[in-house]
Every structure is written in C-alpha cells, then in structure tokens.
Amino acid sequence: MPKLIIDDIPVDVAPGTSVLEAARSVGITIPHFCYHPALAIAAACRLCAVKLLDGPVKGIQMSCSLPAQDGMVVSTTDPEALKLRELVIEWLMINHPHDCPVCDEGGECLLQDFTIAGGHSRRRYRGKKRTFKNQYLGEGICHEMNRCIECYRCVRFYQDYAGGTDFGVTGSAGRVYFGRFADGALESPFSGNLVDICPTGVFTDKTGRFRARYWDYQFAPSVCPRCSVGCNTSPQAYQREVIKIVGRRNDQVNGWFICDRGRFDKGYINAPERPREPMIDGTPASYDEALEALTARISEFVTVNGTESLALVGSPRLSLEGCLLLAELAQVLDGAQLCYFGDASLARGSVAAATLLNEQNAASMRDVEKADCIALVSLDLMEEAPMLALSVRKARAAGAQIYLVAGTTEASAAPLPFQYRTVGSLDEVPFEGGSKGVVVCGAGEQEPGVLAQIASLGAKLVLLQPGPNGFAAGLLARQHGAVSLSEAIAAGKVKGAVAFEADLADALPTGFMVLGIADWQACPPYRDAAVFLPTTVWAESCGTSINFEGRAQRFEPALKAGLPLRGLPEKYYAHGAEGVAREAAAVSPPAHPPRIPRAEIPGGQERECWRVIAALAEKLGGDRIAEPLTGKWSKLQHLDPEGGGVRVFSL
Amino acid sequence: MEQELVLFKHNRKHRPVTFAEYRKEGGFEALEKAVKKMTPAEVQQAVIDSGLRGRGGAGFPTGRKWSFVPRDLPGPRWLICNCDEMEPGTYKDRLLLEHNPYGLIEGMTLACYALGVRHAFIFIRKGYEKAAENLARGIAEAKGAGLLGERILGSEVSVDLDLHLSAGRYICGEETALINALEGKRPNPRSKPPFPAVKGLWQGPTVVNNVETLAAVPAIVANGPAWYKGLARIPEAAGTKLFCVSGSVAERVCVELPLGTPLREIIDRYCGGMRDGKKFKACIPGGASTQFLTADHLDVPMDYETVAKVGSRLGSGGVIVFDESHCLVAATLNLITFFARESCGWCTPCREGLPFVKEILQRIEAGRGEERDIELLREHIKYLNYSFCALAPGAMAPVDGLLAHFEDEVREHITKGCCPLAGKGGN
Amino acid sequence: MIPEELKIELEKQVASAVTPREAAVDVMKELQAHYGWLTDDAVVEAAELLGLSPLQVEELATFYEMIYRRPVGRKVIHVCDSISCWCAGSEELTDHLKKRLGLQLGETSADEEFTLLPCCCMGMCGDSPALSINGVPHGKLTPEAADKLLEQAE
C-alpha cells in the first residue's frame, strides 16, 4: 500500500494507483483531458503535470501515468507545474475557436473548467487558427472538428474500448483529424459515448442540439429500460422534454458507458402520439373517473364470470413495485389469474432463469470481464445486451477464449467486437472445473431443461431476460405460481384481462374482454374499447428494477410527466390559435409557457403504474397501500440510486 | 598520420565494395570467430567493454542497451537497425551503406547472435532506395555463402534479415515510433517504461540500434574491445565516428575520425576550411536538434561528454557550418519549421508549441518581433521539455543555442525592425 | 482495379509478412505506383488486401509524406527545404523552380506533368541543394543544373 504525501496530505492507496487518482481520493482534482479511468493511459495532453518534490522520483511528471510509490512527495500547486498547465491550455487555445456561445458543450465542458482552473487568459499567439471541414456522422452525433484539442479519447474509446473500425485519426502534426473515411453514419452501436467522452464540443448530441444549457437541465439517476442489463443513465430534461440521455457511472454494471439504443431511443417519452389522457371507451375523462369506471367494470365482470375468469397481466417491463402490487391485487380479487408474461415460452425461460441463478453462479458484468472462457449460446448479443458485448471484448483482450455455439445464435446487423471460435455444441467448450468460465445465454424462449443443463456445467451464468425487469417478473411468477396469459387463456377459464404495462398479444380470442389498460404507450387495438389509464415512463418514475444478474437498482424521476412545452397544443394558450400566434410574435420560436396560471401540468396526468394498481386494489376492497416494498423487499426501500445497486439473492 | 578506419575501411572510389573484396579484406571473419569460438555473452561483453555508444544521436552505451534484454523471457526477440536517417544535416548512414552494406550485415548478424535474435529488420527511410538495393543484394550474397539464414557456417545459429521500407516521417527515427511503424500502426512514440528491450516489437524484447553502431561491431569482435576503445583521440572516448559536414565549408565531406578530434581540425583539415574565404560564425555539431557552437568552441574535442560540457550534443555527427552571411534567426526558423512539420501530433507541447515558436521566429525575422518575444521563447525552451518524446526538446535546442550565444542578433532584429542580414540563406 | 498479377503478388507479400499490417506501407506504395496516387478506390483495395477497414488504411496513408491522397503530376518534384540545403541556396532554387514551372508549392501543372512539393532532409546534405523527381535524388543543383534536369525529365 504505497504511502505518499500530496499537497501536505498523507495518502494511502492500493498498489498500482496513479498519482492522479491518489490525489482524487483526497479531493484534489488534477486537470486532465486525455486521461479517462475507463481507457488506457495516453499521457498525451500533458495537462496533469505535478511536481515531485521528494522521494523515488523527482521533478515534473504526468500524474496520470505515474504510479504512486512510497515516500513520494507531490505538489500539485508548485509554480512550475502550474505554469506548465497554464501553457498547455494556452497551446490548446492557439486553435480553439470562440464557440462557447454556440456550443452545446458549454456548461458541461472539461475544456472550459480546466481553462479557468489553469489561469490562462490573454492570447499571446499572433497567428491564425487552423480549421477543418466537418463530416456527417449520422443522426445522433454532430461533428465540429475546429474545437478539437486532440486528446485522442474518441479514437481510444471507439477503436480500443468498443472495437469499432470505421472511425479513427488521420493526418499528422497539427492536421490530425478525427473522423471517418467518408461521410456516413457511425457504425458502432456505442458511438453515442463519443458525446460523453469528448472533453470539448467536437461531438455533441444532435438530437438535443441547441435546446438548453447544462444548467437548465433537470436530471436524476435512472435505469435504461431497453434491455435486461440495466445500464445506469441520466436523462436530462428541459421544459418537460427529455432532451438527451447520458450514461451514468456504475462500476458494477455498465461502467461509464451506455449503448446507442439506450441513449438515442427516447422518442417514446415525448412522442406527440403518446397517450396522456385517461379515457373511458375512447372518451377523455379525469383520472378518478377512469379509476372508478374500471373498478366498476372489474366488479361487474367478476360478479358475472367469477374471479377466475379475470387475468391481471404485468410484464418484464413493469417495475418491481408494480409487479409486487399486482400480486396484492390478485389477492384482493381472490382467484384472479396473475400473469407476468403474455407469451408462454418467454415465461418459462424467464422463470427458469430467475430460479436457477443464485449469489454464487450469477455472473456480473465484471465476472464476464474476468472470465477465462466464455460461451455464447442462443442469443443475439448485440440485440439483447449490447453493453455485455463490451465486457466480453475486455475478457478477450485479457486472453479469454470466446466460443459461439453454432446454429443457435443469430447474427444481427452489428458484428461482434471480439474474436471468437464457432463450435457445434456447448459440450465442445472447454470449461475447466473451477476455472473462470461464463455461459451467456438468452433465457427468454429457452427451454427450462436446456437452461438447467447449462446451469449444471459449473460455470457462472449470464441468463438474459426478455425485458428490463424480467428477473423480477420471473421470480415473482415462480413465487406466486403465475402462468403466462396465453397459457391461462388456453386453460379455458380466462375470459378477460386488465393489462398493466403489458404487451397483449394481437391474437386474443374473439369475445375476449380487455377491461382496462394502464400504460404509457398506445396499445391499439384495445384502447378505445376499454378504460385507459396513462402511466409514467421510467424516466418520469420512482421505482426499482432487477437486472439479469439479480441486481436491484433504483431509479428516480428526472422530470414530471407532461406535454413538452415545445409544440404545446393550442388549447393550452389563451384564445387558442390566436394566443399561440401572440406568443409567436413575442418570442420566436414560441417556447414561452402559456400566460395562464394553471394548477396542473398540461397533459401531466400520468401516474406511476404501481400507484394505479394500489388505487384499484383499495377501491376493490383491499387495504390502503402506502409502501409497495414490504416484507423481504423492504430492504430496498432506501436503495441509493447512485450506490451501484444490490443483488437480491441475500434478501 | 594514417588513421585506422573501421567503418570506411573497405570503401572504394565511385562504387560499392564487392562481396568478394569484403571477404578478402577480412570481412565476416568476426562472425566466424563469434559463432565458432565465442558465447553470445562474450560477444555482448566485448561490445560493453569497447565503450561503443549509439551513433544515431542519443549516444546511449550500446552494450548496456543490449544487457537490458532479459535473458530468460520466452518468445521471439527482435533486432531492428534504425536506418531512418532524417535528422537534417545527417547523411552518414546513406554513404556507409552505399559504400559497404556488408559491414552492417555482419554487425547485425553478430548482434543477433549476442542477443538471441532469430529475425532482424533494417528499417530504411524513403529516399534511400540505393542503399536498400545494396543491402538486398548483400543479404542474398551472404545467405548464398552460408553467412546468413539457416545454420550459419554450419553452426546452430540461424539469423534472417529483412528490409522494411518506410514512407517518410522524421518521427519514425524515434525507436518506439519506429516499432509502431514497423508493426504497421501510426508511428506515434510509446511510453517508456516499458522499454523496448523488455516490450517492443509485437510486445517482444527488442533492441533498436543505428546503422553506424551496428557496423562497428565486427571490428570490435575481430580486434577486441581494448583496440576499439584505443582508437579514440582522448581517453574518455571510444572508437571512431562518421562526421558528415555540410554548410559553409569548402568541401562537404563525410569522414571517419577518432572520437575526440577537435572541431577545428574537422573543418580545416578535412573540409578544406571555410569556403570562399568566409568566416566561421557558428555550427551545429550533431544534426538539427543540437545547440549552436560558436567560434569559442572550435577547439572542443568532438565526443559525447566534451560537447555536452559546453552545452550542446554530439548527436548524429552531422556538422552544419554557418558563416557571417547566414542569419541565425532565419536558420533557427528553418529548423523549427522542419520540426513543427514533422511532429506526429500526439502531444500538446509539440503539436501546438512548435508552431507557436515558429510564428514568433517568423515575426522576428520579418522585423515584427517584440521585446516580450524573447521571454516567450525562453518559456518555450523550458517547458517544451515536458513533451511526450524527445522531438520537441530537440527542436528547441537550436532556439536555446540562439538565445544562449546570439541573443544580440535576435535583439537587433527587434530593435531594427528588420533582418540585419536580410535573411539570406546563403549561396 | 489493379491487374490480377499485381493483386496476387501483393497477396503473397501480405501473407509472408509477420502480420498483415506490417506489409501496409508496401501495399500502399505499390497501389500508388500503379494509380499515380493513392486514390479512394486504392485505399479500399489496400484495405481488402490487408484485412483492414478503409479507415484503418487511411490512418496510415495520411501520416506519411510519400503517400499521396490527392492527384499528383506524372513527375513529382520534392525540393529539400531543410537546413543544409538552405545554407546552400535551396530558397533560390525553389523560387527558380516555381517561376519556371509556374507553380506554387503544393500545386500541379495544368497539363498534369509536374507537381512541386517541399520535403524534409533527403540525406543529401553533402550534395545540397538537392531535390528528387519521383523519388530519384539529384544534388548540387544550381538553377541552371535544375533547368537541365527538367529538360531531360520532359
């Protein structure tokens, strides 16, 4: 454990820690650009200079590439070090354009921060600035090469970390250029991370361009709902619109990055077609009216047909709280059929996976990275869990052998970013007893017998769920003996259902009654024949979800649900269209909130699904539910959303 | 005084020496002696004891560099001959190979034997195609005579030599950038540590040596280290050096001389003195990245330590002589322009700082310099030392020398508002 | 498209290198010799031969002085502008060539015969000032000697 002194503060760190990280551990931020904890050391920018006053090394050193050693005496404030840092900024400012007023990075720009920190102000260089032409890089990312400070983070991430081959650095000396061979969309499914990783505004989020400044954003810790990896995100919202989604660090799950689907696939949150009004048979109503109506219809239905004719349907995208309360509701309607899945095969696989996993055999992303031998079975990795592919890539870089079990893996559009061997069956994969082997398998639609066989190999397991909260759905389905909706219908008794953020099959038998739907998406063709209750998406919700390895993570609302201010319908403005026109004359584009005081957010009636279920349960005669996480789940009540999550096996 | 030649011993006028001639004059006897009568460790010790230092510019003791290769690391190890001679003012390696490729071939084979290397490369700069042809021919001839390839001279030692041709960038002469270039990557330098001797070409132990360094090894093995060391002119030096002279001398020659030969002697005796009756103003002793020496330094013995003592470096031995008609601000500007253009673009100080210095010198030379520019240059001299590799510090050496010895000339530009010599490059 | 014989030759070269990447510069030079300059298509062809992406080839091609990613004339003149040639009058030589060819540095003549470029030290310092035409070095060039050289070249 090297013991060193940094700015008169004694520091004790793990062997191998750099002086830069050692300083950070005692609250000292040494300015840096090219250094990034997730990437290999470059030591290119020369900004992280410190002076070693005493010890085994002396003089000016780059703190990012200097391992802390016993007896080092480090000064981050030595005049020589400060001068060098000031000069580095001055050198970068030789070419950096005066773009701050028009640059989206402003306010969240490392260059701004460290320029102020560095103390450089007046320009002494009299020459011209070099300029570049920009490239079209796709619909997600804007390219503004003039701003580049050549830290090489982008190419180190894109090529080394993510295995991309269509983006890199060309030229030499002052002409180095970071781009593609020719204009065209970036091919890597992780390209969006360039936005997060670039310390200046070369790569900015095109989908959120020119909408807001960093200090305008509302954001909160969230979890991506696109797959069962559960990457941590931070949706950034402004004026009731999610402007962009950025990755959030979780060393246990996604590290620093997220995939492009999680970043850019956010249209559903603010889509104009998103149903935001409670409806009864296609006619808008108030939330309480709709709840009352649904209660009445449920009561009527079970009186006529018996509780066993009603299915209560959740899904692998319903939060843990929603899933737990759905079981409560099923108890209130004693005899009602509890379903967490629509499709039978998805259900079987998911339940089996959640059952087979335990604290010892459930592999985390870190376990995958440290594995010696990885087998990929029955899955389209780039489709089902893209970030996991980067963990496999890391394992490969460390020397692991990767096997694709042939015949059972579909190749998706994106190539796998690692070398692998193809084998005919799982038997051919040389897992050595006790060695660090991991089997990665898509559990949904998998035969439970096959999964059990895989589990018996002795290797660790990644069993991917068919939805972001599939693990909880499977776990609870097993606990309550729930079957899938299709099985329940096939068994003959179920004649109607209420769906809670569930995808009902298009092919429901004729005469089947969908009494009510609680969801944030449109769900045709049933919406107009039922009671519709709009719910919040995860970015607007407080809730918990459990990822593929049984890790529970909490998410909090980044914004209150409601119609975005941009494109707010006329009816919210005084005098309708005229009012809009008046606003437009006053401010262009018309983005001023309507000048009518209002107690409710326009279009903001959505509620968290679990609250909807709780309300129904109470109206149907059950107890009032204040806290959805009870019993063994109560330990998750105060789960810290920034704490990396906690595995549920020990609960 | 007829001096003992090592590198130019077999030179012919107007044509390269032939394979037969080289052998007749003792060529490849050292190789035979080594593989038949010496151990690799003994060959290495001979080089250590000889005092041979790297001739490419850094002057690092060669035997010591070889000793950094771990004895027991598994996997292939590599030897690379650095023939990326692009230091302005330096043309000795080209002449050496155009006269005699066999010295290098024999030297590399000996080095491979000493280091346990099976496969070696010669990294050749663009423009040296004639030297490359000589080497290709020489390698084929040596192979044909059982002096290269499988089981040399019937021994258990096998060595293969391959040529790798570059496409033109000065940074490729930096040993870790060279390794990247050979691997087919962008030739940015690598961090040291790990040093190439431990992790180099394709992550294997690698030694990179200059052409002239390796070409001296056969004589060391044949005649012994004490003999080689004794060739020098002063006791602290060892062996001979190729000095290639350009600039304002009557005859621009490349001559092999004992290390420690005074600078004055090189110019007066071997180059016919200054040309056209011009007066010596300054010279660069060892290629573009070394500080100016003045007329006060003409009696300095040309060796690594002695030149370093007067604030410059022996470097590559590329001596560039300036006369009173040369504006040294313009000369420094020319040098900085070269370095700025050849920056690989990896680190901030080099990529941005060198164009900054160039802009300052341009303004001074054009008569638009200001008093504060001198302080600006001093800041850059000091802080460009903290770049990623040695290119930027080397680039600032002429600027350092300019301010150390010719600050008056710089100030004259500023106060007069023009170049007092009208920036003549000379003719 | 390069002729089949050249393709086979290059494939052999790539196969016999320690790694395909090691042969990258050679492959680029051969394709450039065939096309006159390394065209966009040539970059793609090189990529296929080397098992790299076009971008990965471009990263290398754009680093080096002697790989041209723009069209050049049939005769590329590189004039050394480093210090030893500067001492010997390279500035005058360059001005003379610019006038005679009617070109600025970096330009190609309208008839696509000549391209005039600066280059760094050629290692001809003892024979300065020096230039090369299509890589062939020539030294001790007075303006008159340069004229004669160009006449021969034409």
Side-chain angles (χ1 to χ4, degrees):
Chain A
M1 298 283 284
K3 285 195 197 2
L4 62 160
I5 298 175
I6 303 179
D7 292 348
D8 297 325
I9 303 171
V11 189
D12 214 328
V13 288
T17 308
S18 65
V19 169
L20 188 150
E21 287 295 351
R24 206 207 293 265
S25 74
V26 289
I28 299 171
T29 302
I30 299 172
H32 55 275
F33 290 128
C34 66
Y35 172 72
H36 189 287
L39 305 177
I41 306 283
C45 71
R46 313 315 271 175
L47 185 60
C48 66
V50 295
K51 183 101 161 268
L52 278 284
L53 301 173
D54 205 354
V57 179
K58 291 215 192 55
I60 295 279
Q61 302 288 333
M62 298 305 137
S63 54
C64 70
S65 55
L66 183 65
Q69 291 174 55
D70 266 337
M72 277 182 169
V73 179
V74 182
S75 169
T76 70
T77 56
D78 176 271
E80 240 191 296
L82 290 177
K83 182 66 187 174
L84 179 55
R85 283 195 238 133
E86 190 185 337
L87 273 173
V88 170
I89 296 292
E90 181 171 10
W91 286 326
L92 294 172
M93 286 301 149
I94 281 173
N95 287 311
H96 193 74
H98 277 150
D99 275 6
C100 285
V102 298
C103 174
D104 267 334
E105 195 86 355
E108 46 181 332
C109 176
L110 269 186
L111 181 62
Q112 280 183 337
D113 293 346
F114 293 138
T115 297
I116 304 297
H120 165 68
S121 57
R122 295 199 184 250
R123 183 178 179 76
R124 299 185 290 178
Y125 180 70
R126 304 285 187 83
K128 291 195 153 88
K129 301 191 180 197
R130 57 97 182 96
T131 57
F132 297 104
K133 288 202 180 113
N134 301 317
Q135 287 181 323
Y136 170 79
L137 295 176
E139 291 304 306
I141 297 183
C142 269
H143 196 213
E144 195 63 54
M145 258 305 293
N146 291 347
R147 300 172 183 163
C148 184
I149 58 170
E150 295 91 8
C151 68
Y152 289 80
R153 271 188 179 189
C154 54
V155 60
R156 285 151 59 211
F157 168 77
Y158 198 95
Q159 292 185 355
D160 301 337
Y161 195 96
T165 59
D166 67 314
F167 172 90
V169 53
T170 55
S172 69
R175 329 168 274 127
V176 286
Y177 186 91
F178 297 86
R180 301 182 81 249
F181 178 59
D183 277 18
L186 290 164
E187 290 166 14
S188 167
F190 310 102
S191 63
N193 293 295
L194 293 180
V195 172
D196 291 349
I197 211 167
C198 178
T200 79
V202 176
F203 300 106
T204 50
D205 192 318
K206 199 184 251 184
T207 64
R209 187 164 157 83
F210 293 158
R211 295 303 311 285
R213 283 294 183 194
Y214 182 73
W215 53 84
D216 290 327
Y217 290 136
Q218 290 175 280
F219 48 95
S222 191
V223 175
C224 179
R226 294 333 236 167
C227 79
S228 64
V229 173
C231 298
N232 287 196
T233 63
S234 195
Q236 295 178 335
Y238 178 57
Q239 295 180 337
R240 292 194 303 274
E241 186 181 343
V242 172
I243 304 296
K244 59 181 168 83
I245 298 176
V246 301
R248 181 165 63 89
R249 180 181 179 185
N250 183 336
D251 289 340
Q252 307 309 317
V253 182
N254 56 303
W256 292 78
F257 308 114
I258 57 175
C259 77
D260 285 0
R261 196 166 57 201
R263 181 183 302 271
F264 294 122
D265 193 358
K266 57 189 179 344
Y268 67 94
I269 304 175
N270 299 128
E273 322 82 62
R274 178 175 167 189
R276 295 183 185 269
E277 285 184 291
M279 304 237 259
I280 306 174
D281 298 328
T283 311
S286 78
Y287 221 101
D288 287 329
E289 285 168 351
L291 277 171
E292 285 297 336
L294 182 55
T295 307
R297 290 183 192 200
I298 291 173
S299 302
E300 200 192 314
F301 181 91
V302 301
T303 306
V304 169
N305 301 292
T307 52
E308 64 280 357
S309 303
L310 180 66
L312 301 169
V313 190
S315 81
R317 61 181 172 93
L318 181 60
S319 70
L320 174 64
E321 290 82 352
C323 290
L324 289 170
L325 292 183
L326 197 62
E328 292 290 323
L329 183 61
Q331 283 218 301
V332 168
L333 292 167
D334 188 19
Q337 190 60 65
L338 178 62
C339 306
Y340 287 107
F341 298 89
D343 183 73
S345 62
L346 281 180
R348 278 199 294 275
S350 174
V351 169
T355 315
L356 288 165
L357 290 176
N358 56 53
E359 182 62 49
Q360 284 70 41
N361 70 6
S364 66
M365 308 278 274
R366 300 288 87 76
D367 291 329
V368 171
E369 286 166 13
K370 295 202 192 84
D372 288 335
C373 176
I374 300 175
L376 304 173
V377 182
S378 256
L379 83 165
D380 185 351
L381 187 57
M382 297 306 276
E383 183 56 41
E384 294 181 47
M387 286 300 291
L388 194 60
L390 293 185
S391 291
V392 177
R393 178 179 164 78
K394 269 196 202 160
R396 172 79 196 128
Q401 294 301 318
I402 319 293
Y403 298 91
L404 222 65
V405 178
T408 56
T409 306
E410 300 113 59
S412 87
L416 292 168
F418 46 80
Q419 282 178 314
Y420 57 86
R421 271 178 243 189
T422 313
V423 292
S425 78
L426 203 48
D427 300 325
E428 296 174 54
V429 179
F431 290 118
E432 280 138 37
S435 88
K436 292 186 267 172
V438 177
V439 179
V440 180
C441 176
E445 291 178 348
Q446 195 59 246
E447 284 300 320
V450 173
L451 289 174
Q453 211 173 7
I454 292 174
S456 69
L457 286 168
K460 288 204 178 200
L461 304 168
V462 169
L463 302 174
L464 295 169
Q465 292 282 344
N469 197 29
F471 189 97
L475 203 63
L476 292 171
R478 173 147 199 265
Q479 183 184 331
H480 297 285
V483 296
S484 66
L485 179 62
S486 56
E487 284 170 292
I489 292 174
K493 288 209 209 109
V494 167
K495 295 200 190 79
V498 183
F500 298 93
E501 291 184 355
D503 300 299
L504 298 175
D506 292 320
L508 288 176
T510 26
F512 192 89
M513 286 188 65
V514 177
L515 298 170
I517 300 176
D519 210 337
W520 45 264
Q521 57 188 28
C523 331
Y526 313 104
R527 196 158 71 110
D528 294 341
V531 175
F532 182 82
L533 299 160
T535 58
T536 51
V537 301
W538 283 15
E540 298 158 343
S541 312
C542 214
T544 311
S545 70
I546 306 180
N547 80 348
F548 68 90
E549 52 152 330
R551 179 177 303 271
Q553 301 187 101
R554 185 154 189 82
F555 47 87
E556 301 200 329
L559 73 165
K560 281 206 166 81
L563 283 165
L565 183 62
R566 186 170 71 161
L568 196 63
E570 292 171 5
K571 71 182 195 198
Y572 292 101
Y573 287 86
H575 314 301
E578 194 192 314
V580 175
R582 214 182 286 166
E583 301 291 358
V587 137
S588 167
H592 192 285
R595 296 171 202 270
I596 316 165
R598 217 180 230 105
E600 293 131 18
I601 297 171
Q605 301 191 62
E606 302 90 332
R607 299 184 189 185
E608 280 142 340
C609 199
W610 68 265
R611 290 191 202 274
V612 175
I613 302 172
L616 279 174
E618 193 184 343
K619 286 188 193 288
L620 288 165
D623 291 330
R624 177 141 213 283
I625 300 168
E627 172 58 60
L629 298 168
T630 54
K632 75 170 188 177
W633 301 106
S634 57
K635 291 214 186 93
L636 298 177
Q637 275 176 24
H638 301 292
L639 189 59
D640 179 7
E642 312 256 36
V646 72
R647 308 240 283 205
V648 300
F649 303 109
S650 54
L651 291 181
Chain B
M1 163 196 116
E2 194 53 58
Q3 75 161 49
E4 191 104 43
L5 292 178
V6 172
L7 302 156
F8 278 178
K9 181 173 174 187
H10 306 278
N11 282 12
R12 298 301 197 265
K13 277 195 161 21
H14 309 306
R15 65 166 177 87
V17 66
T18 67
F19 183 57
E21 285 166 341
Y22 182 72
R23 291 206 76 174
K24 190 137 169 263
E25 291 166 13
F28 288 104
E29 280 172 18
L31 179 62
E32 185 161 5
K33 174 181 175 189
V35 299
K36 292 199 171 150
K37 301 205 196 94
M38 296 170 77
T39 63
E42 283 168 343
V43 174
Q44 221 179 89
Q45 194 58 46
V47 173
I48 292 173
D49 293 339
S50 71
L52 177 66
R53 293 169 73 148
R55 299 284 193 244
F60 193 85
T62 307
R64 182 132 66 97
K65 194 188 232 186
W66 289 10
S67 74
F68 293 149
V69 176
R71 285 249 140 249
D72 46 6
L73 230 54
R77 19 182 80 204
W78 310 90
L79 173 71
I80 307 175
C81 172
N82 185 345
C83 188
D84 194 67
E85 180 173 68
M86 287 181 84
E87 185 81 21
T90 315
Y91 55 100
K92 60 180 179 74
D93 293 338
R94 177 176 64 81
L95 285 183
L96 176 54
L97 292 175
E98 284 181 3
H99 281 296
N100 174 14
Y102 307 105
L104 176 66
I105 294 171
E106 188 180 0
M108 283 186 75
T109 315
L110 281 163
C112 287
Y113 178 60
L115 292 165
V117 168
R118 176 74 177 80
H119 191 176
F121 288 95
I122 306 172
F123 186 94
I124 304 181
R125 60 157 290 174
K126 65 110 188 179
Y128 278 21
E129 281 79 26
K130 201 148 86 163
E133 274 166 30
N134 280 6
L135 279 166
R137 194 185 62 246
I139 289 170
E141 286 168 323
K143 250 185 141 165
L147 296 162
L148 202 56
E150 295 281 330
R151 312 198 71 227
I152 291 171
L153 293 169
S155 74
E156 292 304 311
V157 182
S158 302
V159 170
D160 280 317
L161 287 188
D162 272 324
L163 303 182
H164 181 101
L165 301 173
S166 182
R169 265 300 164 239
Y170 170 69
I171 190 64
C172 293
E174 200 280 342
E175 64 174 359
T176 59
L178 192 159
I179 290 173
N180 272 339
L182 225 170
E183 290 187 18
K185 298 192 186 135
R186 281 173 62 88
N188 298 126
R190 298 181 182 178
S191 273
K192 295 192 279 208
F195 287 84
V198 175
K199 257 197 181 154
L201 191 59
W202 296 300
Q203 300 302 305
T206 306
V207 169
V208 181
N209 279 142
N210 175 257
V211 171
E212 194 187 340
T213 314
L214 289 164
V217 173
I220 292 172
V221 171
N223 303 319
W227 169 88
Y228 183 78
K229 189 165 192 320
L231 293 175
R233 191 76 164 254
I234 53 177
E236 59 263 47
T240 62
K241 176 90 187 68
L242 297 178
F243 292 96
C244 43
V245 189
S246 61
S248 211
V249 288
E251 282 170 54
R252 295 166 302 185
V253 295
C254 179
V255 60
E256 181 179 0
L257 292 172
L259 276 167
T261 303
L263 175 60
R264 191 193 297 277
E265 194 175 314
I266 297 178
I267 294 172
D268 289 344
R269 183 162 164 195
Y270 294 97
C271 301
M274 299 297 290
R275 67 164 178 178
D276 300 341
K278 294 261 196 271
K279 234 180 89 199
F280 179 95
K281 181 175 183 181
C283 91
I284 287 172
S289 57
T290 57
Q291 286 82 348
F292 292 111
L293 293 179
T294 68
D296 293 342
H297 301 121
L298 281 167
D299 293 310
V300 170
M302 292 290 273
D303 179 46
Y304 300 97
E305 303 299 333
T306 42
V307 176
K309 261 201 210 99
V310 295
S312 185
R313 295 191 308 118
L314 186 70
S316 64
V319 180
I320 310 166
V321 179
F322 300 95
D323 64 50
E324 74 274 22
S325 74
H326 291 126
C327 171
L328 292 182
V329 174
T332 309
L333 172 59
N334 176 285
L335 290 162
I336 278 286
T337 303
F338 162 79
F339 286 112
R341 209 163 70 195
E342 290 301 315
S343 169
C344 76
W346 178 251
C347 77
T348 313
C350 180
R351 188 187 60 243
E352 315 291 352
L354 291 182
F356 199 152
V357 171
K358 176 180 162 188
E359 197 276 333
I360 296 168
L361 289 170
Q362 266 173 336
R363 274 189 298 103
I364 293 174
E365 176 59 12
R368 288 180 283 113
E370 295 173 20
E371 174 62 37
R372 71 166 193 181
D373 285 332
I374 298 192
E375 190 45 47
L376 255 182
L377 287 175
R378 288 222 157 85
E379 268 181 44
H380 281 76
I381 291 168
K382 175 168 182 183
Y383 286 98
L384 279 169
N385 277 312
Y386 300 115
S387 54
F388 189 81
C389 83
L391 190 153
M396 294 308 287
V399 185
D400 187 19
L402 181 71
L403 291 186
H405 301 298
F406 299 97
E407 187 174 329
D408 291 341
E409 197 166 318
V410 179
R411 287 196 182 279
E412 215 184 331
H413 281 72
I414 295 173
T415 52
K416 280 210 171 116
C418 70
C419 171
L421 292 168
K424 268 300 166 239
N427 213 339
Chain C
M1 287 299 308
I2 49 175
E4 191 60 26
E5 312 89 63
L6 179 56
K7 181 158 180 257
I8 292 172
E9 178 57 44
L10 291 175
E11 281 168 351
K12 244 193 275 171
Q13 242 180 304
V14 173
S16 66
V18 176
T19 68
R21 256 191 189 266
E22 194 228 315
V25 167
D26 288 336
V27 168
M28 288 193 289
K29 278 183 180 173
E30 292 285 346
L31 287 166
Q32 175 166 286
H34 176 79
Y35 288 108
W37 59 288
L38 199 71
T39 64
D40 289 354
D41 287 343
V43 172
V44 175
E45 278 183 282
E48 279 157 11
L49 285 161
L50 296 163
L52 299 173
S53 72
L55 178 277
Q56 288 169 327
V57 172
E58 183 81 319
E59 288 189 312
L60 302 176
T62 54
F63 194 92
Y64 291 105
E65 191 179 48
M66 298 307 279
I67 307 284
Y68 314 126
R69 284 290 285 122
R70 282 193 215 165
V72 292
R74 282 177 287 278
K75 301 192 182 74
V76 182
I77 303 174
H78 277 105
V79 195
C80 174
D81 66 357
S82 287
I83 189 66
S84 300
C85 288
W86 176 85
C87 280
S90 66
E91 281 178 344
E92 282 75 14
L93 174 65
T94 308
D95 286 340
H96 177 81
L97 287 167
K98 281 164 150 182
K99 263 204 247 357
R100 185 196 151 109
L101 296 168
L103 296 174
Q104 292 302 312
L105 289 174
E107 286 183 348
T108 301
S109 56
D111 62 358
E112 293 173 21
E113 186 66 21
F114 290 107
T115 299
L116 186 62
L117 290 168
C119 74
C120 69
C121 184
M122 294 169 54
M124 295 278 286
C125 322
D127 300 313
S128 45
L131 57 75
S132 68
I133 304 183
N134 288 347
V136 177
H138 303 275
K140 297 201 173 93
L141 288 168
T142 59
E144 299 74 41
D147 281 342
K148 216 181 271 165
L149 191 61
L150 288 180
E151 278 154 29
Q152 286 169 351
E154 279 159 21

